[in-house]
Amino acid sequence: MRLITATPRSRRRTVTVLAGLGATSLALAACGDDTSIAGNVSAAQVTNYDSVGFILDDGEYEFFAMPDASWTRIIGLRSDGEQALVWFRDDADAGYEPALLDLTKTEFIPLTVADAPGFFARGLTGDGRVVGGAEGDGGTEGVIYDPESGAVNWLERPGSDFTGISDAVDDVVLGYTDAGMATFVQSDDVIFDIHGDDANRLLGIQVNADNVVVGYASWGDDPMWDPLTRGFIATFDGDEYIAEPFSLPGAARTTITGINDDGRIAGHVHQADDTPMTAYSADLADPDGTLELHPLPDDVTAMLSTPGTGASVWGIDHQGRIFGALFITDPEPELWSEDEPCGGHGHLHGTECHCDDGYVLDPDDPGMCRLESDE
């Protein structure tokens, strides 16, 4: 590993812009160890966006929208509830950009990391470090960035041309290479691969203090992953992590994308093929007996009942708060555009396309993303 001290470069989007949306102010109220978080857009306003971020706190949805952006996703939440990590984009043709959302000051701070070119954020640790990947000496490498000190910690894995780091607990880091062809846990300088019988690709999303990894995968003859359907739970067996498929009884599709140190898991589920995604949480020790579904408020009516819409869960923090994005419109109707990277429905990481939600790589042309429903 090498440590580089970088000077953070950022520009701020303050709440004064939000006033033009008729939005309420954000607030953080403390009562002992309890905190509550208020969003900046109401349920009635979410119809104005393709996606809004959400935090599900004590059974209540709070919605968040980046000023002047039509797409907002919350992909990380600090354990004290004071800060979130956001992806945003201004329109469907733009790539995602990262920002830090200060929940105490109603302030979005677009994030640029000096000395880490092409930095792409993927998660926020409990203590507020941003994890992701950037262009390093040997291609894309994993990075942990501390916004407070400006320190950039590069995590090198020999032979990898892409590494995205999803979460970090002390010295334990979860990452993947080659767009999920190899997923691993790194503790100090020791790397443990994650394997699953009959798994083609495994993409780890969160790891907890007990070294349990959750994420999604492709299984059997399917060469591509489908993040709507195939969750996994991986545990350490002495020298490697073994992944097993995870699904909820009776569900048509299940994803698991979060686990906290208390063993509470979270994700989203399609109860039938023609229903939208519904957030859920449960205890890892007894998923069936402790399952809680978290349907959207009754006044959120813009969501369409098709796969790829609804509440997409990105994780759960150590206080049990669930976060993610609410998708309220269908994907773009066209299949692809030859003139835009990834067909206009994804972004490039090096030479690898990362497709937008609702799209998958075309197996006949991995430089194009096509509608998932056209498979």
Side-chain angles (χ1 to χ4, degrees), residues 164-178:
I165 304 172
S166 297
D167 200 2
V169 181
D170 296 325
D171 295 324
V172 177
V173 177
L174 175 66
Y176 56 90
T177 66
D178 300 328

Side-chain angles (χ1 to χ4, degrees), residues 15 70 88-89 94 114 123 137 144 152 160 175 196-197 207 222 248 252 281 283 285 311 340-341:
V15 76
S70 62
F88 72 94
R89 63 182 183 181
D137 296 337
I144 300 179
V152 177
S160 65
D197 290 341
V207 55
D222 184 2
L248 294 172
S281 60
D283 290 338
E340 298 182 56

Side-chain angles (χ1 to χ4, degrees), residues 16-239:
T16 54
V17 182
L18 290 174
L21 300 174
T24 59
S25 63
L26 296 164
L28 184 72
C31 180
D33 293 331
D34 183 38
T35 61
S36 59
I37 298 172
N40 72 321
V41 291
S42 68
Q45 293 170 319
V46 299
T47 57
N48 299 325
Y49 307 93
D50 292 302
S51 72
V52 293
F54 72 79
I55 295 175
L56 181 59
D57 185 12
D58 196 24
E60 297 292 329
Y61 277 94
E62 299 293 347
F63 300 114
F64 300 83
M66 179 81 166
D68 297 331
S70 62
W71 296 69
T72 304
R73 307 182 183 188
I74 294 180
I75 64 169
L77 185 63
R78 211 167 71 181
S79 291
D80 60 10
E82 295 186 355
Q83 191 179 67
L85 180 64
V86 173
W87 280 351
F88 72 94
R89 63 182 183 181
D90 296 335
D91 57 60
D93 296 324
Y96 287 108
E97 299 180 56
L100 291 173
L101 169 57
D102 188 330
L103 295 166
T104 70
K105 297 180 180 179
T106 67
E107 189 173 64
F108 289 82
I109 308 169
L111 183 64
T112 302
V113 181
D115 297 330
F119 179 73
F120 193 79
R122 295 199 174 274
L124 188 68
T125 68
D127 60 5
R129 291 171 293 166
V130 182
V131 293
E135 293 300 323
D137 296 337
T140 306
E141 298 173 0
V143 171
I144 300 179
Y145 170 61
D146 186 346
E148 293 188 4
S149 67
V152 177
N153 192 5
W154 292 80
L155 296 134
E156 303 174 28
R157 180 173 186 182
S160 65
D161 59 11
F162 176 81
T163 303
I165 304 172
S166 297
D167 200 2
V169 181
D170 296 325
D171 295 324
V172 177
V173 177
L174 175 66
Y176 56 90
T177 66
D178 300 328
M181 294 302 290
T183 296
F184 62 91
V185 173
Q186 180 169 331
S187 180
D188 292 326
D189 293 326
V190 181
I191 293 175
F192 303 94
D193 288 319
I194 301 176
H195 300 287
D197 290 341
D198 208 27
N200 295 304
R201 293 188 174 193
L202 295 160
L203 181 59
I205 304 297
Q206 278 195 317
V207 55
N208 73 356
D210 292 326
N211 293 329
V212 179
V213 177
V214 300
Y216 52 82
S218 64
W219 306 91
D221 297 330
D222 184 2
M224 311 306 297
W225 59 53
D226 176 353
L228 295 175
T229 61
R230 300 176 177 90
F232 75 82
I233 297 173
T235 54
F236 192 60
D237 74 346
D239 57 3

